[in-house]
Amino acid sequence: MMKSRTALRLIVAALCLSAGWQSMLAQQHKLWYNRPAAHWLEALPIGNSALGAMVYGGTETEEIQLNEETFWSGSPHSNNSTESLAALPEVRRLIYEGKEGEAAKLIDQHFVKGPHGMRFLPMGSLKLELGHKDVKDYRRELNLSDAIVTTSYINNGVRYERTVFASQADNVIVVQLKAGKKGLLSFGVNFATQLSSKVFTVSEHEGVSGTVNELAAVVEGVEQEGIKAGLKAECRVLVEADGKLNRGADNLSVEGATTATLYITAATNFVNYHDVSGNPEKKNNETLASVKGKPYKQLLADHVKKYQEQYNRVCLTLPKSDASALPTDQRLAAFEQNGNDPSAGASQVVNRKSVNRQSLDLDLISLMMQYGRYLLISSSQPGGQPANLQGVWNDKMNAPWDSKYTININAEMNYWPATVGNLLETQQPLFSMIRDLSVTGTKTAQEMYGCGGWVAHHNTDLWRIAGPVDGTPWGMFPTGGAWLTTHIWQHYLFTGDKEFLAEYYPVMKGAADFLLDYMQVYPAAGELKKAAGWLMTVPTVSPEHGPRGKGTNVCAGSTMDNQIAFDVLSQTMRAAEV
């Protein structure tokens, strides 16, 4: 079945091209603005899974804020409580008797002990000191069809243009700067970070291999909640220009050029969730060695080809309006002003008599759909880490919710577009994380609950912690890992790939085994007498909310747990039959 589906996809692609649909597939969806970004949320994201960047499009100073997907706080560790198993019978008794509040206090005391997960760290920012103060005809854009950010403007009668892209093909971020007149491109190159670091030109630094036109930054990780820092990152910037290159101790500058190209790469000593013996300097040297001598046009062509292999599989064409040509921020404002209530369903919008359907910028919806696909392509690729709470982009020392993997909904939501959006391979990092959790979660199941199989709660991180975090209302959710395994079954349903299912069947079975051990026969006592005799997860929570009047969301057999358990047990049985 897998081979036939692949063949069908190739036939459809060939028919599209033969019918002259190539231009429609590209669609030319763009986010564009007539001013530079004023803050991080206005910058434009690029990424190749391993590296992420936010491009501001500045004229005096261009900032390219950088992330590397494995740069997190802390080091390998476990957060399993050693007190929960002894307290478990009492917690269950209190819940059966309707004393959920008392049970919640015991869970907070004995189950949620910490650490509460490590955080995704910012690498730093590459700063290009351009000095162009008075500009006109300014435009910056992200073209979703080729994953390229372009900034252009006129300063003192000279047109300047920058292109930035994150290449999956070569694992580098490439920046090209061009001046419209010969010899009028000059700029400085600096690196800034909020973390402890050493920034130096490679030629001036002993013991670091590289070329004389490289700037390097070694950025130290941080400890968190008593877990020592185990990671350090190295970022490299290789500068090639047709003008004069100057080297300072911790900066580079270019004078009198017409064109300059920068190659940015970064790496850490992370190998996997229990091994931090890697060599980031060696990784970066190998990456840069592979792109040296490659013409810019070749790098660009390889990037576009690799990206479009995934992006061009899906197109959605909806009617445009006059507003479709506006800068994206103005376009969003116009969309709402034209009677489009964001809380209403699409059918309500187009059928509302007071709205002129011809004036609705429905193409904005297709833009947003493709932007979602773009972000998933950019932050989750085979061999890398899954898209975290913010994809692969973060500029804060303390990201919201640590930018971890919140597996009571957010991680799952990240991957909802993967199959229906024809981006099957973007799930590989998710499947890899689920496999890791099935290992760490086996120990959690044994130590915390005396159960077989494996468990993960509502949150995890780079180190694949599986115990509960944050507090009872969030952390006492023993079906986060089980929920993740439903993605395995859905992938099989989409592909019919029996080899894949066989590979991951033990992971599914482990989640089912835990549920069968963890669920209890509800006794004929307490407030839920009608539930007597049924198997229920206990203790658990109704995630992040609960019934009115209880003062807690701790319960037995929350509706969400019931659905997840039913799905996981049913899917595992069906997988066993397959």
Side-chain angles (χ1 to χ4, degrees):
M1 184 180 291
M2 184 62 178
K3 290 181 179 179
S4 63
R5 286 173 183 265
T6 302
L8 179 61
R9 190 160 59 195
L10 291 172
I11 292 169
V12 170
L15 289 171
C16 287
L17 294 175
S18 65
W21 285 8
Q22 189 171 15
S23 60
M24 189 185 80
L25 283 172
Q27 296 175 87
Q28 296 299 312
H29 279 130
K30 297 178 180 180
L31 284 73
W32 77 276
Y33 305 87
N34 55 16
R35 58 179 178 81
H39 53 81
W40 187 80
L41 286 172
E42 292 183 349
L44 293 169
I46 59 171
N48 62 8
S49 182
L51 303 173
M54 296 291 280
V55 184
Y56 281 65
T59 60
E60 288 189 67
T61 300
E62 169 65 294
E63 179 174 359
I64 301 175
Q65 186 269 320
L66 300 167
N67 289 99
E68 202 278 346
E69 65 177 350
T70 65
F71 194 35
W72 290 63
S73 64
S75 53
H77 70 283
S78 167
N79 72 329
N80 299 337
S81 170
T82 59
E83 302 172 12
S84 59
L85 186 56
L88 185 58
E90 178 64 6
V91 167
R92 284 173 170 163
R93 182 188 69 80
L94 290 169
I95 292 173
Y96 296 151
E97 294 178 1
K99 300 175 182 178
E100 293 92 343
E102 294 179 41
K105 291 178 182 178
L106 282 181
I107 294 169
D108 261 331
Q109 182 180 354
H110 297 292
F111 288 60
V112 192
K113 304 292 291 184
H116 299 284
M118 301 296 104
R119 66 190 192 270
F120 183 46
L121 296 172
M123 171 80 67
S125 291
L126 183 69
K127 301 283 188 76
L128 305 181
E129 305 298 338
L130 301 158
H132 299 153
K133 294 183 178 181
D134 299 315
V135 305
K136 58 183 181 180
D137 196 21
Y138 178 93
R139 180 183 175 109
R140 66 183 173 101
E141 69 175 38
L142 166 60
N143 189 338
L144 299 183
S145 68
D146 55 20
I148 297 173
V149 170
T150 305
T151 304
S152 64
Y153 55 85
I154 295 173
N155 175 250
N156 290 333
V158 179
R159 166 72 66 179
Y160 291 92
E161 182 175 288
R162 289 192 302 277
T163 57
V164 189
F165 59 89
S167 173
Q168 286 184 46
D170 292 291
N171 195 33
V172 290
I173 293 172
V174 181
V175 184
Q176 186 175 79
L177 302 90
K178 296 176 69 175
K181 292 185 180 179
K182 187 175 181 179
L184 292 183
L185 177 64
S186 298
F187 60 94
V189 182
N190 304 294
F191 186 89
T193 179
Q194 304 167 67
L195 292 157
S196 176
S197 64
K198 292 181 180 179
V199 181
F200 50 90
T201 48
V202 172
S203 61
E204 299 294 326
H205 199 82
E206 293 183 6
V208 177
S209 60
T211 57
V212 294
N213 52 340
E214 287 180 35
L215 184 68
V218 176
V219 186
E220 300 293 334
V222 296
E223 71 86 31
Q224 185 169 335
E225 298 183 69
I227 305 300
K228 67 179 182 179
L231 295 176
K232 70 175 180 178
E234 187 196 67
C235 180
R236 291 284 190 96
V237 184
L238 169 66
V239 180
E240 294 181 345
D242 57 9
K244 181 181 180 183
L245 180 67
N246 302 309
R247 290 176 292 277
D250 60 358
N251 62 84
L252 297 169
S253 63
V254 172
E255 293 181 50
T258 306
T259 302
T261 306
L262 283 62
Y263 310 87
I264 307 166
T265 191
T268 75
N269 53 303
F270 179 86
V271 177
N272 55 50
Y273 69 92
H274 52 82
D275 185 349
V276 291
S277 64
N279 186 332
E281 179 188 335
K282 181 181 178 183
K283 293 177 186 176
N284 287 335
N285 280 333
E286 289 174 351
T287 299
L288 291 178
S290 69
V291 298
K292 286 175 185 174
K294 266 193 180 183
Y296 173 79
K297 288 184 178 180
Q298 185 65 51
L299 288 167
L300 180 63
D302 291 346
H303 155 71
V304 172
K305 180 181 179 182
K306 184 73 173 177
Y307 169 75
Q308 289 185 347
E309 285 174 6
Q310 295 179 34
Y311 182 80
N312 279 359
R313 293 172 189 164
V314 170
C315 62
L316 174 63
T317 303
L318 295 174
K320 296 179 182 290
S321 74
D322 291 342
S324 302
L326 292 172
T328 305
D329 50 349
Q330 298 176 33
R331 188 178 180 185
L332 283 166
F335 190 78
E336 184 172 357
Q337 290 169 4
N338 282 342
N340 207 348
D341 178 1
S343 65
S347 60
Q348 291 175 273
V349 174
V350 297
N351 290 328
R352 191 180 296 137
K353 292 182 179 180
S354 61
V355 175
N356 179 359
R357 291 179 63 180
Q358 298 301 317
S359 69
L360 283 178
D361 180 14
L362 296 179
D363 183 62
L364 182 62
I365 296 170
S366 57
L367 168 67
M368 293 180 72
M369 184 276 287
Q370 290 289 31
Y371 188 39
R373 294 180 70 245
Y374 167 84
L375 292 171
L376 186 56
I377 293 170
S378 301
S379 59
S380 185
Q381 289 296 320
Q385 297 298 310
N388 65 45
L389 200 56
Q390 295 180 187
V392 70
W393 302 279
N394 170 47
D395 69 326
K396 290 181 169 55
M397 278 291 290
N398 292 286
W401 298 281
D402 291 334
S403 200
K404 296 196 293 283
Y405 300 100
T406 303
I407 58 176
N408 71 353
I409 184 63
N410 303 99
E412 290 86 353
M413 289 172 68
N414 277 352
Y415 287 90
W416 285 347
T419 47
V420 294
N422 207 354
L423 299 172
L424 291 173
E425 58 270 74
T426 63
Q427 297 176 107
Q428 190 276 331
L430 178 69
F431 297 143
S432 179
M433 183 176 76
I434 298 171
R435 188 198 301 278
D436 291 346
L437 287 171
S438 74
V439 177
T440 59
T442 295
K443 189 174 181 181
T444 305
Q446 294 168 347
E447 293 181 352
M448 290 194 63
Y449 305 114
C451 292
W454 68 275
V455 63
H457 293 76
H458 100 288
N459 223 285
T460 190
D461 59 12
L462 183 73
W463 310 112
R464 307 308 191 236
I465 60 165
V469 305
D470 295 343
T472 298
W474 310 275
M476 193 60 252
F477 182 65
T479 51
W483 192 6
L484 286 175
T485 66
T486 65
H487 287 256
I488 295 170
W489 180 248
Q490 288 297 320
H491 181 85
Y492 167 72
L493 292 181
F494 264 79
T495 63
D497 187 344
K498 292 184 180 180
E499 291 183 4
F500 167 85
L501 188 64
E503 179 183 354
Y504 283 93
Y505 173 73
V507 177
M508 296 176 67
K509 184 177 183 298
D513 287 341
F514 171 79
L515 288 169
L516 291 174
D517 277 0
Y518 186 77
M519 290 190 297
Q520 302 293 304
V521 176
Y522 200 84
E527 297 183 0
L528 296 178
K529 292 182 180 179
K530 292 182 180 179
W534 289 88
L535 283 172
M536 289 190 179
T537 54
V538 57
T540 190
V541 295
S542 180
E544 305 194 22
H545 69 88
R548 291 185 181 182
K550 283 288 186 181
T552 178
N553 60 345
V554 171
C555 61
S558 67
T559 302
M560 190 157 175
D561 271 19
N562 292 343
Q563 185 64 58
I564 292 171
F566 178 82
D567 288 346
V568 170
L569 295 171
S570 301
Q571 292 167 9
T572 304
M573 286 194 298
R574 293 171 67 187
E577 293 169 356
V578 173

